[in-house]
Amino acid sequence: MSPSVLFVCLGNICRSPLAEGALRAEAARLGLDLIVDSAGTGDWHAGEPPDARAIAVARRNGVDISALRARQVTPGDFRRFTHIVALDHDNLSSLRELAPSRATAELSLLLDHVEGQTGQAVADPWFGDEAGFEVTWTQVTAGARGLAQRFSRTG
Ligand code: 4NP
């Protein structure tokens, strides 16, 4: 079975669509067969495209995330995906509360997959400026590389 990864942040318009775009790009580069999606613990932005600043930073780095649309995490996600990767601690806590008893997905923080950054959060760039989105891109790219390396080792 191919690994499948769901990235989860709060709104699904900034961090998790960037992580989705970064891992899709890394999987394509490495020729990895991965299913990648993203969702939010909140539903305020459901149906919306990513934030314009997120689309812009991805585009500057050669990745098009403009067609993604926000959605909220569902109980079924905990069995549909092999890995659910939270962008920060609040969202990881929300996922633990939402997880049905029959959940099979492995939960982690994105930066757990980056050497030396285990247990750290990807800061929310929503209230900040463009520079914050560059930091987010750097972090999600590092996380995506770490995850992709793990999957290329384990198949
Ligand atoms: P995200 O950023 O969780 O990285 O998508 C946010 C987007 C929207 C809101 C908060 C964070 N909001 O409060 O609407």
Side-chain angles (χ1 to χ4, degrees), residues 5-9 12-27 34 36-39 50 54 57-58 63 65 68 85-87 110-111 122 136-145 147:
V5 182
L6 180 70
F7 291 109
V8 176
C9 63
N12 193 209
I13 56 168
C14 297
R15 292 165 292 176
S16 61
L18 286 171
E20 178 180 348
L23 184 58
R24 282 182 189 277
E26 191 64 10
L34 277 186
V36 188
D37 195 4
S38 63
V57 74
V63 177
I65 61 165
L68 301 181
V85 181
L87 276 285
L110 179 63
L111 294 181
V122 174
T136 305
W137 180 258
T138 301
Q139 292 178 313
V140 301
T141 302
R145 289 208 179 112
L147 275 165

Side-chain angles (χ1 to χ4, degrees), residues 5 9 32 42 49 56 62 76-77 84 89 117 124 128 131 135-137 145 152:
V5 182
C9 63
L32 283 180
D77 287 326
I84 300 184
H89 301 92
Q117 296 185 34
D124 189 347
V135 173
T136 305
W137 180 258
R145 289 208 179 112
S152 54

Side-chain angles (χ1 to χ4, degrees), residues 23-76:
L23 184 58
R24 282 182 189 277
E26 191 64 10
R29 196 175 72 78
L30 297 174
L32 283 180
D33 187 18
L34 277 186
I35 293 164
V36 188
D37 195 4
S38 63
T41 52
D43 69 350
W44 312 284
H45 297 282
E48 294 178 15
D51 185 282
R53 297 164 296 176
I55 292 174
V57 74
R59 184 169 290 145
R60 285 197 292 279
N61 288 279
V63 177
D64 182 7
I65 61 165
S66 63
L68 301 181
R69 293 296 177 264
R71 72 171 180 89
Q72 192 174 24
V73 175
T74 67

